[in-house]
């Protein structure tokens, strides 16, 4: 071979080797992308064996997608429950601190104003609120998080998905074997040598073996995936209901606690505002020096219309300040009022009539004596 031909052959060999290497790299890249970006069960519309196998393949593909979707939804629920629990613990921490501050303020200023009383009431209620929050966190953990986590990482789901993946790989092998049989048949038609015929028979036997294994594995994978999908549906639905019920009961109990607190705080405010003021006894000068007079508050239970300028008209429920002196003195108008009161009592209590008539006679004579004087 002359040097020029040898150089040409070397260049062609180099280009051919480079092309094969580039093709191999492309195939490897596609295989890696297919492995990491695929669903784990390869979708295909090619009929490998017959319609029965095609129906099994479509069934497994659908169940595989459903179990993957169910698993992802369970993960979403778990993430949300974990976030609720974390927020709940922060709520407990802040609520406990506020409860301590309110109780301390109420204790230190118990006799000052209504705010101290309201703070003490709210601080005590916050203890119950945070206990309810802690109960909700425990319920989310035991009834939502733990069951869903157990199923997400459980062996039934993984085993069923592995069976489906094995069926998918076996189906790809069957596609390859079908192509091999077609190639062997074409070679036998071109060159019906015994060697080619024997290779064709071996390929067909291998295809029969793959077909039998696919029938068994496909039925097993379909049953496993269907059971897991039904369990996913049932368990996830139950956990969602439990989470909704737990939140509902939590908010109802919190609303009841806060409603009771609000009613108590408003009642305390109303009592504080409607209570009569405290009257301190003043010092009254007397002939022997200074002495204290006793004062007390009285509520009018019957109406009274003033008859003179020195009298005071009263309505039912009015508060009046009464001073009790050392020498009680009844004015004429006061005696008239009492006489009217005794007359009203006589109408009601007949069994004490005689005693009250004597009192009425005494008071009438006292009025006449004072008017004559």
């Amino acid at each position: 071979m002359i040097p020029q031909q040898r150089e040409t052959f070397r260049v062609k060999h180099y280009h051919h080797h480079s092309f094969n290497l580039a093709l191999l790299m492309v195939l490897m890249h596609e295989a890696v992308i297919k492995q990491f970006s695929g669903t784990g069960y390869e979708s295909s519309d090619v009929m490998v064996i017959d319609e029965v196998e095609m129906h099994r393949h479509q069934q497994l593909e659908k169940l595989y997608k459903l179990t993957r979707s169910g698993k992802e939804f369970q993960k979403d629920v778990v993430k949300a429950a974990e976030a609720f629990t974390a927020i709940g613990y922060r709520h407990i921490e802040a609520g406990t601190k506020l409860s301590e501050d309110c109780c301390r303020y109420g204790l230190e200023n118990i006799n000052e104003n209504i705010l101290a009383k309201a703070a003490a009431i709210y601080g005590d209620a916050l203890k119950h609120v945070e206990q309810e929050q802690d109960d909700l966190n425990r319920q989310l953990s035991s009834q939502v998080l733990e069951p869903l986590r157990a199923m997400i990482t459980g062996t039934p789901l993984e085993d069923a998905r592995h069976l489906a993946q094995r069926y998918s790989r076996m189906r790809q092998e069957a596609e390859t074997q079908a192509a091999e049989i077609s190639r062997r048949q074409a070679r036998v038609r071109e060159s019906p040598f015994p060697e080619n015929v024997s290779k064709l028979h071996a390929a067909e036997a291998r295809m029969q073996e793959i077909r039998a294994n696919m029938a068994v594995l496909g039925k097993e994978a379909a049953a496993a995936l269907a059971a897991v999908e039904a369990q996913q549906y049932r368990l996830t639905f139950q956990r969602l209901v439990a989470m909704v019920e737990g939140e509902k009961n939590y908010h109802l109990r919190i609303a009841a606690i806060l409603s009771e607190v609000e009613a108590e705080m408003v009642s305390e405010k109303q009592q504080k505002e409607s209570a009569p003021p405290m009257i301190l006894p003043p010092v009254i000068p007397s002939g022997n020096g200074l002495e204290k007079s006793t004062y007390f508050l009285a509520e009018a239970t019957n109406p009274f219309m003033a008859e003179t300028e020195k009298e005071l008209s009263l309505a039912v429920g009015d508060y009046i300040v009464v001073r009790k002196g050392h020498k009680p003195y009844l004015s004429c108008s006061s005696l008239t009022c009492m006489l009217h009161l005794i007359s009203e009592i006589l109408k009601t209590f007949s069994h004490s009539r005689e005693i009250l008539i004597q009192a009425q006679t005494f008071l009438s004579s006292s009025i006449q004596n004072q008017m004559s004087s």
Side-chain angles (χ1 to χ4, degrees):
M1 182 180 294
I2 61 177
Q4 186 177 1
Q5 292 178 341
R6 187 178 303 157
E7 184 67 22
T8 303
F9 176 77
R10 187 184 304 115
V11 171
K12 289 182 178 180
H13 178 73
Y14 173 76
H15 284 299
H16 180 71
H17 181 71
S18 299
F19 175 78
N20 290 337
L21 183 61
L23 180 61
L24 180 62
M25 293 296 295
V26 170
L27 293 176
M28 290 177 62
H29 178 72
E30 290 179 352
V32 171
I33 296 298
K34 189 176 182 180
Q35 178 180 359
F36 289 99
S37 64
T39 62
Y41 189 90
E42 296 302 326
S43 177
S44 175
D45 296 332
V46 178
M47 183 182 298
V48 178
I49 299 175
D50 52 21
E51 293 183 359
V52 175
E53 189 282 327
M54 189 65 184
H55 176 71
R56 178 72 69 190
H57 163 67
Q58 293 174 349
Q59 179 188 16
L60 289 176
E61 182 181 7
K62 179 180 178 180
L63 288 172
Y64 195 92
K65 291 180 178 179
L66 287 175
T67 54
R68 183 184 62 180
S69 176
K71 181 179 179 180
E72 293 300 322
F73 180 65
Q74 287 178 336
K75 288 182 178 180
D76 294 337
V77 175
V78 167
K79 290 180 181 178
E82 288 174 345
F84 291 157
T85 304
I87 294 172
Y89 284 125
R90 291 197 294 270
H91 188 284
I92 291 174
E93 183 179 357
T96 302
K97 179 64 168 59
L98 180 58
S99 174
E100 294 174 353
D101 295 340
C102 288
C103 291
R104 183 172 60 253
Y105 179 83
L107 184 62
E108 293 175 352
N109 304 274
I110 191 64
N111 294 323
E112 294 298 327
N113 48 42
I114 189 60
L115 177 59
K117 182 65 176 178
I121 294 173
Y122 184 55
D124 184 64
L126 279 177
K127 298 177 183 178
H128 301 285
V129 171
E130 304 316 323
Q131 182 61 47
E132 294 294 339
Q133 181 67 63
D134 186 63
D135 292 342
L136 177 62
N137 286 352
R138 293 176 184 274
Q139 183 179 2
L140 288 176
S141 178
S142 62
Q143 297 187 16
V144 179
L145 289 175
E146 293 177 3
L148 290 181
R149 284 172 180 165
M151 186 165 190
I152 290 173
T153 59
T155 55
L157 175 62
E158 293 302 320
D159 292 344
R161 292 168 67 84
H162 287 161
L163 288 175
Q165 291 169 0
R166 282 178 54 192
Y167 183 87
S168 178
R169 290 193 295 267
M170 191 173 292
R171 194 172 191 276
Q172 293 176 8
E173 184 180 356
E175 289 186 35
T176 304
Q177 192 66 25
E180 178 68 16
I181 291 175
S182 299
R183 189 169 57 254
R184 293 293 180 185
Q185 288 174 346
R187 186 167 298 179
V188 167
R189 285 193 297 269
E190 294 175 359
S191 303
F193 297 123
E195 181 181 1
N196 294 335
V197 174
S198 63
K199 290 182 178 180
L200 174 61
H201 290 166
E204 291 176 345
R206 175 58 182 165
M207 186 63 178
Q208 291 295 329
E209 181 182 356
I210 294 175
R211 181 176 181 176
N213 292 335
M214 285 178 63
V216 176
L217 184 60
K219 186 180 297 184
E220 184 180 356
L225 282 175
V228 169
E229 194 270 336
Q231 185 183 11
Q232 276 184 337
Y233 176 85
R234 183 176 61 256
L235 180 66
T236 308
F237 179 78
Q238 291 174 350
R239 297 311 98 198
L240 274 180
V241 171
M243 187 163 65
V244 171
E245 184 178 0
E247 287 192 72
K248 181 196 71 173
N249 294 333
Y250 164 77
H251 290 295
L252 287 176
R253 287 193 290 265
I254 294 300
I257 293 172
L258 295 180
S259 297
E260 184 178 352
V261 170
E262 182 186 18
E264 190 173 355
M265 293 169 69
V266 171
S267 176
E268 289 289 338
K269 181 176 181 293
Q270 292 176 348
Q271 291 180 8
K272 188 73 173 179
E273 291 177 348
S274 63
M278 298 297 294
I279 306 298
L280 296 177
V283 178
I284 306 298
S286 63
N288 298 327
L290 298 178
E291 64 177 20
K292 290 185 179 180
S293 298
T294 303
Y295 285 78
F296 62 92
L297 288 174
E299 181 181 359
T301 58
N302 294 287
F304 175 74
M305 294 300 296
E307 298 180 358
T308 65
E309 296 180 355
K310 296 181 179 180
E311 295 177 344
L312 179 65
S313 297
L314 296 175
V316 177
D318 287 347
Y319 287 95
I320 56 175
V321 179
V322 181
R323 179 171 65 89
K324 182 179 180 182
H326 292 283
K327 295 180 180 181
Y329 173 76
L330 296 177
S331 65
C332 179
S333 59
S334 298
L335 293 173
T336 304
C337 180
M338 291 181 65
L339 182 60
H340 175 71
L341 179 60
I342 291 173
S343 299
E344 294 295 327
I345 296 175
L346 281 173
K347 298 177 182 179
T348 308
F349 303 98
S350 59
H351 62 279
S352 302
R353 184 177 183 84
E354 295 180 359
I355 299 174
L356 294 175
I357 288 175
Q358 294 177 3
Q360 182 182 18
T361 303
F362 173 76
L363 291 173
S364 297
S365 60
S366 297
I367 293 173
Q368 294 176 0
N369 293 332
Q370 287 192 14
M371 291 181 63
S372 61
S373 61

